[in-house]
């Protein structure tokens, strides 16, 4: 629906909100620039900029639109969020706070104590605290409930020891939700607790991970007797899996409806433009039947992916698709992306693997190396979720589900000579 | 179809599905095949009463064009028809009604639209099977034109009373609406892979027709033909979506019930992950087709690309998915008595008709200026 069509359907209250949002953003927000992508972790200045944007939105009464007023929000119904996003199209939004808003906020609202919510939600909404998630560990990613970071009781709280990895934006974060093992004698899902951890606390070391192409989007953390106060447990002690499931469900739903709220936009017809990068590669050989096949195929891949992602976003927002449908967009992106790298490399030929000094040329081939389907959950885990949760197929057998964690094969002391 | 349907569209979808489950399930297609009958005329007229064929005709001719969203609503029906591998001429009648409503002379509209909408008259769309217009040539003749040539694989031409023919004069295209019993026209039924679909070869041997047979402007039909092709591709893609959707449904049911090695076979990742992959590709087929239907209905600038994209994706992945559904059934899927071959035959047939995926990749290159 176009903005004009949407505006015509506003109630008087919605229209007043729309005009207020429009005026305020025109006065305060920086423009949306193509060269400033939502992916910020390589550009500290954008992280700073996003935090300032969030503060401006908060000061203007445009942050946490659906969050209750007592926690610093605006207490409005979800229709106002849609209006806000329509009006925000010309401006940059605080996309660096994706984890804070997509994952941490709904998790805190659902499971945190009144005291934690009153203390942390307003700071999250104002961009004062940037949040990350300490979930995956070096010894296991997909099997999250098999984690080994320990939390042991100490006076007034807990001491956390272990290592976390694949933390998006960990080096910029102030706070984290952290899942740790509090009872190794319970079966693996039943001995976990979710903590709110200060990323600047003594004993917390954050090290950016250098990826294949040199970027540093993710971090590894080392926790060495990091103290967490008693009242910073979210949910029940040993009830962390329930809380983590909320966090993961929100993460997947956000991936499904678009992680960077409002970043994708557009009309519903006339937007399937041919892929420019491939057009450039194909232009040199327009009469080559093989080139034409590859180009046409890539256009189909791009278009179907765009339309499917939007379909899933729309369906999740409207409540006609379950949140797990986000896995469909994710798997499609993974498979289409992999095929696309083959097409690009085929069209680029040797220019995808070698470039003259000071020439930008390797991006075509580099995607063939770095494009994988691991982050945010592997394609294999998504395959299980789609099969079991969306299609109703029987679940995987889980032989380790009811055995005390300390007795599982991978945690038992190695046998001599074994 | 689209993820968010209007109340009217949902009603149309529900009533069509209920009607087809009762009046024309796959077993009906099976009976037609074994009796070698062409069409259950009674069911066809009842479908017409539900409004299937009225979407493009104006109200003055008993149609619903003013209130319907032509291509979008027709795609909803086509998807339902795909779910039961329907045997009737929904697609050609829709495309010809669309063509006449858009460019037919008042006399042509007056003479045919109401009867097409009521299911009393059937029209075939003589468009070259390879999606390249120009297999029939036309020459001006005294008082009209002469048609020469043939079109291979015309859907439901044996049933048709009327033929909409695309003919080339040199490089320019013209379209004509002719009665099938015009002297010089012969229709030869073809042996079809999709046994629930009738295709024929239509020959034009010195067929003399009057100037009043012309649809639109002589030598100026290229845009009309393009829009008809877009609509045909959308309806074909929607039908394929229905075919995939239903085949995947009953294959999933089977995988949940069939037990091997002490487990339902759908609990094995070797099967489960394939279903997940199929569900992803089916969602893509729905998204691409719904978009194309809207783009064609709105005459959007990217409607041609959208139609080719929907065709390529649904055809390619449709066949792939249903082939794997057959595989998941194991031996029973190889038998005549199992329905899945009807679904696979329809998917393979739709893959080839009006341009293979590769032909549409080439078309997309052309649309992008390559």
């Amino acid at each position: 629906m176009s903005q004009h069509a949407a505006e015509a359907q506003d109630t008087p209250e919605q229209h007043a909100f729309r005009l207020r949002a429009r005026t305020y953003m025109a006065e305060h927000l920086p423009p949306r620039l193509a060269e400033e992508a939502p992916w910020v972790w390589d550009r500290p200045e954008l992280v700073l900029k996003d935090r300032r944007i969030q503060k401006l939105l908060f000061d203007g009464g445009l942050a946490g639109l659906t969050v209750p007023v007592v926690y610093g929000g605006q207490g409005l119904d979800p229709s106002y969020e849609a209006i806000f996003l329509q009006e925000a199209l010309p401006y940059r939004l605080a996309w660096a706070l994706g984890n804070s808003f997509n994952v941490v906020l709904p998790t805190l609202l659902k499971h945190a104590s009144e005291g934690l919510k009153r203390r942390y939600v307003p700071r999250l909404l104002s961009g004062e605290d940037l949040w990350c998630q300490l979930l995956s560990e070096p010894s296991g990613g997909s099997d999250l409930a098999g984690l080994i970071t320990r939390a042991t009781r100490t006076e007034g709280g807990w001491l956390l020891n272990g290592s976390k990895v694949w933390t998006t934006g960990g080096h910029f974060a102030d706070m984290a939700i952290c899942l740790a093992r509090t009872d190794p004698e319970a079966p693996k899902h039943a001995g976990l607790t979710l903590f709110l951890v200060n990323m600047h606390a003594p004993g917390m070391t954050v090290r950016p991970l250098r990826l294949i192409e040199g970027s540093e989007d993710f971090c590894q953390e080392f926790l060495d007797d990091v103290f967490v106060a008693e009242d910073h447990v979210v949910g029940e002690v040993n009830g962390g899996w329930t809380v983590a499931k909320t966090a993961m469900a929100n993460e997947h739903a956000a991936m499904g409806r678009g992680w960077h709220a409002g970043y994708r936009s557009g009309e519903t017809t006339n937007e399937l433009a041919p892929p420019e990068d491939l057009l450039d590669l194909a232009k040199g050989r327009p009469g080559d039947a093989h080139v034409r096949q590859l180009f046409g195929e890539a256009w189909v891949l791009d278009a179907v992916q765009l339309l499917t992602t939007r379909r899933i976003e729309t369906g999740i927002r409207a409540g006609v698709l379950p949140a797990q449908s986000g896995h469909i967009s994710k798997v499609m992106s993974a498979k289409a992306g992999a095929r696309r790298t083959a097409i690009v490399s085929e069209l680029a030929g040797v220019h995808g693997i070698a470039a003259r000094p000071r020439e930008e040329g390797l991006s075509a081939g580099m995607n063939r190396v770095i494009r994988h389907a691991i982050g945010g959950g592997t394609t294999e885990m998504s395959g299980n979720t789609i099969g079991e949760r969306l299609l109703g197929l029987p679940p995987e057998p889980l032989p380790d589900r009811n055995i005390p964690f300390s007795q599982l094969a991978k945690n038992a002391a190695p046998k001599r000579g074994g | 179809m689209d993820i968010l349907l209007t109340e009217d569209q949902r009603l149309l979808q529900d009533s069509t599905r209920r009607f087809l489950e009762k009046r024309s399930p796959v077993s009906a297609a099976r009976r037609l095949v074994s009796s070698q009958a062409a069409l259950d005329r009674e069911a066809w007229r009842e479908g017409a009463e539900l409004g299937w064929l009225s979407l493009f005709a104006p109200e003055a001719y008993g149609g619903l064009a003013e209130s319907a969203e032509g291509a979008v609503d027709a795609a909803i029906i086509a998807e339902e028809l795909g779910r039961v591998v329907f045997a009737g001429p929904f697609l050609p009648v829709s495309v010809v009604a669309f063509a006449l409503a858009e460019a037919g002379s008042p006399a042509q509209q007056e003479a045919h639209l109401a009867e097409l909408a009521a299911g009393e008259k059937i029209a075939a769309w003589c468009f070259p099977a390879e999606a390249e217009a120009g297999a029939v040539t036309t020459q001006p003749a005294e008082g009209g034109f002469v048609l020469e040539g043939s079109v291979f694989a015309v859907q439901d031409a044996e049933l048709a009373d009327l033929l909409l023919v695309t003919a080339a004069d040199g490089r320019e295209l013209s379209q004509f609406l002719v009665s099938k019993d015009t002297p010089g026209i012969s229709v030869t039924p073809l042996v079809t892979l999709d046994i629930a679909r009738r295709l024929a070869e239509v020959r034009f041997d010195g067929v003399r027709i009057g100037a009043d047979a012309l649809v639109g402007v002589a030598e100026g039909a290229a845009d009309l033909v393009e829009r008809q092709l877009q609509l045909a591709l959308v309806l074909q893609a929607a039908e394929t979506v229905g075919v995939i959707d239903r085949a995947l449904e009953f294959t999933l049911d089977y995988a949940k019930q069939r037990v091997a090695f002490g487990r339902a076979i759908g609990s094995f990742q070797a099967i489960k992950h394939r279903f997940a992959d199929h569900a992803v590709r089916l969602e893509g087929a729905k998204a691409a087709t719904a978009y194309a239907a809207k783009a064609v209905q709105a005459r959007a600038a990217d409607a041609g690309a959208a139609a080719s994209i929907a065709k390529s994706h649904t055809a390619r992945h449709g066949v792939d998915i249903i082939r794997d559904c057959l595989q998941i059934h194991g031996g029973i899927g190889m038998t005549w008595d199992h329905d899945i071959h009807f679904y696979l035959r329809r998917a393979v047939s739709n893959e080839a008709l009006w341009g293979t995926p590769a032909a549409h990749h080439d078309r997309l290159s052309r649309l992008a200026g390559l």
Side-chain angles (χ1 to χ4, degrees):
Chain A
M1 186 159 39
S2 75
Q3 190 169 329
H4 288 298
E7 190 167 346
Q9 292 179 5
D10 284 351
T11 63
E13 293 78 18
Q14 287 172 333
H15 198 63
F17 171 82
R18 182 187 292 279
L19 295 182
R20 182 165 73 75
R22 187 180 294 170
T23 310
Y24 184 83
M25 287 194 276
E27 279 173 21
H28 294 90
L29 287 204
R32 186 173 296 197
L33 304 172
E35 64 271 23
E36 290 185 354
W39 301 272
V40 296
W41 305 116
D42 267 356
R43 298 179 61 183
E45 79 281 6
L46 281 186
V47 179
L48 251 177
K49 184 170 184 170
D50 284 3
R51 295 174 81 135
R52 280 202 301 270
I53 289 169
Q54 191 56 40
K55 180 73 164 64
L56 287 166
L57 289 171
F58 184 77
D59 291 344
L62 294 173
L65 296 179
T66 61
V67 173
V69 177
V70 288
Y71 309 130
Q74 299 298 316
L76 298 168
D77 71 65
S79 68
Y80 287 85
E81 218 149 59
I83 294 171
F84 169 77
L85 290 177
Q86 287 159 16
E87 293 298 327
L89 279 179
Y91 311 106
R92 181 171 177 89
L93 292 176
W95 289 311
L97 299 168
N99 258 305
S100 303
F101 280 86
N102 289 325
V103 182
V104 176
L105 177 61
T107 306
L108 291 180
L109 289 175
K110 182 161 180 191
H111 298 286
S113 68
E114 194 58 28
L116 288 176
K117 283 193 278 197
R118 284 178 189 259
R119 176 164 172 192
Y120 286 109
V121 173
R123 295 166 59 91
L124 183 155
L125 296 182
S126 68
E128 196 169 346
D129 290 338
L130 193 153
W131 288 73
C132 65
Q133 308 181 64
L134 300 180
L135 299 177
S136 291
E137 299 187 355
S139 66
S142 293
D143 185 9
L144 179 62
L147 62 83
I148 56 177
T149 290
R150 295 275 305 267
T152 48
R153 291 223 180 244
T154 187
E155 195 181 334
W158 301 80
L159 288 177
L160 272 57
N161 283 283
S163 179
K164 295 286 182 178
V165 75
W166 301 116
T167 316
T168 306
H171 44 336
F172 294 104
D174 305 295
M175 290 294 298
I177 55 172
C178 177
L179 195 61
R181 188 161 304 281
T182 36
D183 184 1
E185 300 314 314
K188 66 183 203 180
H189 295 86
L192 301 171
T193 302
L194 193 106
F195 298 93
L196 300 190
V197 178
N198 187 333
M199 292 296 287
H200 309 301
M204 174 75 76
T205 307
V206 183
R207 203 158 72 196
L209 271 179
R210 189 157 188 237
L211 298 187
I212 295 168
E213 83 283 23
S215 74
E216 294 181 346
D217 302 356
F218 301 102
C219 295
Q220 180 167 6
E221 291 78 19
F222 301 91
L223 290 79
D224 184 13
D225 277 345
V226 171
F227 176 77
V228 179
E230 186 72 61
D231 64 356
H232 277 49
V233 168
V234 178
E236 303 290 321
V237 171
N238 293 328
W241 187 246
T242 307
V243 186
K245 277 200 294 191
T246 299
M248 287 186 284
N250 279 294
E251 174 166 6
H252 289 134
M255 291 167 89
R257 65 170 187 263
W259 186 260
H260 302 288
Y263 182 61
R264 261 192 299 267
S265 60
E267 296 296 307
T268 51
T269 54
N270 194 16
E271 58 191 319
L272 298 188
E276 288 295 329
D277 57 333
L278 288 153
L279 205 48
D280 287 344
L281 289 170
K283 264 178 187 156
R285 291 174 285 161
D288 183 327
H290 183 54
V291 166
R292 298 173 73 82
Q293 282 307 307
L294 292 172
F295 174 81
E297 185 194 345
W299 192 356
V300 174
L301 284 176
D302 283 6
V304 172
Q305 198 192 325
L306 171 82
L307 296 171
T308 306
T309 306
R310 179 172 310 149
R311 176 185 177 86
I312 302 279
E313 283 175 26
T314 308
I316 292 177
R317 279 187 198 279
V320 298
L321 288 179
Q324 292 97 348
S325 305
H327 287 273
I328 288 184
S329 312
K330 196 165 175 320
V331 171
M332 177 171 282
S333 159
K335 302 244 159 146
R339 174 62 190 148
R340 201 180 196 284
T341 68
I343 294 174
V344 169
S345 283
E346 178 83 32
L347 290 177
V350 75
H351 297 289
I353 58 115
R356 296 184 186 90
R358 291 181 301 281
E359 251 181 15
E360 296 256 342
L362 290 186
S363 65
M366 186 51 83
N367 272 320
R368 197 111 176 90
V369 176
I370 63 173
R371 179 84 205 221
H372 289 281
I374 298 165
T378 61
T379 308
E380 288 71 17
M381 293 302 287
S382 289
N384 284 353
T385 305
I386 293 170
E388 295 168 15
R389 306 295 293 280
L390 297 178
L391 303 179
L393 290 166
E396 290 301 299
L398 295 168
D400 59 356
R401 177 128 206 149
N402 297 313
I403 300 171
F405 186 74
S406 59
Q407 291 171 32
L408 295 182
K410 80 173 204 176
N411 304 317
K415 288 192 196 105
R416 185 180 289 267
Chain B
M1 251 327 104
D2 207 357
I3 189 72
L4 301 179
L5 295 180
T6 65
E7 194 53 38
D8 284 350
Q9 288 168 338
R10 193 163 300 288
L11 269 171
L12 177 68
Q13 187 181 51
D14 287 350
S15 61
T16 306
R17 185 171 301 187
R18 276 200 310 276
F19 172 79
L20 288 169
E21 279 167 1
K22 191 165 123 247
R23 289 292 276 115
S24 195
V26 182
S27 55
R30 226 175 237 285
R31 274 198 304 280
L32 284 181
V33 170
S34 58
S35 68
Q36 302 205 322
L39 177 68
D40 179 347
R41 289 270 178 180
E42 203 184 322
W44 179 246
R45 269 191 288 271
E46 287 171 38
E49 279 167 25
L50 291 175
W52 290 357
L53 309 169
S54 308
L55 300 170
F56 299 103
E59 279 163 18
Y61 300 112
L64 304 165
E66 289 84 350
S67 56
E69 271 199 86
V72 176
D73 292 348
I76 290 172
I77 294 167
E79 183 179 339
E80 295 305 317
L81 297 173
R83 289 175 59 89
V84 297
V85 201
F86 186 72
F90 175 73
L91 191 148
V93 171
S94 296
V95 173
V96 173
F98 167 76
L100 291 182
E102 182 175 63
S105 68
Q108 286 167 333
Q109 294 184 343
E110 178 74 37
H112 306 300
L113 275 177
E115 284 180 298
L116 288 174
E120 285 158 14
K121 217 178 246 180
I122 289 171
W125 184 56
C126 297
F127 188 81
E130 306 291 343
E132 287 163 20
V136 178
T137 60
T138 175
Q139 298 289 329
E142 198 189 324
F145 304 87
V146 177
L147 300 178
E148 196 73 49
S150 71
V151 189
F152 192 73
V154 178
Q155 185 184 332
D156 291 313
E158 309 110 281
L159 293 171
D161 308 289
L162 300 167
L163 305 174
L164 179 62
V165 192
T166 302
D169 171 13
R171 295 172 62 183
E172 302 302 327
L173 298 181
S174 304
Q175 281 199 306
F176 304 95
L177 186 73
V178 299
S179 171
K180 195 180 68 179
D181 54 20
T182 308
I185 293 179
S186 60
V187 174
T188 311
L190 301 171
V191 179
T192 52
L193 177 101
D194 178 357
I195 49 181
R197 170 145 291 161
R198 273 141 215 289
L199 301 173
E201 182 164 23
V202 181
R203 290 201 58 83
F204 300 86
D205 293 310
V207 177
R208 300 184 69 91
I209 48 174
D212 58 351
L214 193 65
V215 175
V217 185
E219 303 185 8
D223 290 347
L224 288 178
V225 173
E226 166 65 22
R227 279 197 291 281
Q228 289 158 26
L229 175 63
Q230 289 171 9
L231 177 63
L233 292 171
V234 162
L235 298 185
Q236 183 188 59
E239 182 184 65
T240 304
V241 166
V243 169
I244 308 168
D245 206 19
R246 180 69 194 119
L248 205 52
E249 258 173 36
F250 65 67
T251 308
L252 261 172
D253 287 343
Y254 183 74
K256 290 173 190 175
Q257 283 155 22
R258 174 85 173 178
V259 172
F261 304 101
R263 294 162 62 176
I265 61 169
S267 73
F268 291 104
Q269 278 188 337
I271 305 283
K272 185 185 290 174
H273 283 187
R274 272 150 58 194
F275 274 120
D277 196 34
H278 301 337
V280 169
R281 294 189 286 169
L282 171 59
E283 208 64 31
K286 289 177 177 174
T289 304
Y291 181 88
K294 281 195 277 195
V296 168
Q297 178 62 19
R299 294 194 179 198
D302 62 0
S308 283
I309 286 163
K311 161 78 200 221
S312 164
H313 182 90
T314 54
R316 201 173 203 203
H317 298 295
V319 171
D320 206 40
I321 291 168
I322 302 170
R323 276 180 54 80
D324 196 48
C325 285
L326 192 154
Q327 174 74 17
I328 289 169
H329 276 88
I332 192 75
M334 297 295 291
T335 62
W336 173 261
D337 285 339
H338 199 284
D339 282 344
I340 194 160
H341 67 97
F342 278 81
Y343 288 82
L344 187 49
R345 287 167 186 269
R346 177 62 50 89
V348 172
S349 181
N350 281 354
E351 178 183 38
L353 205 54
W354 306 317
T356 60
H360 284 279
H361 295 166
D362 190 75
R363 187 175 124 96
L364 285 167
S365 291
R366 197 173 72 238
L367 291 172
L370 286 177

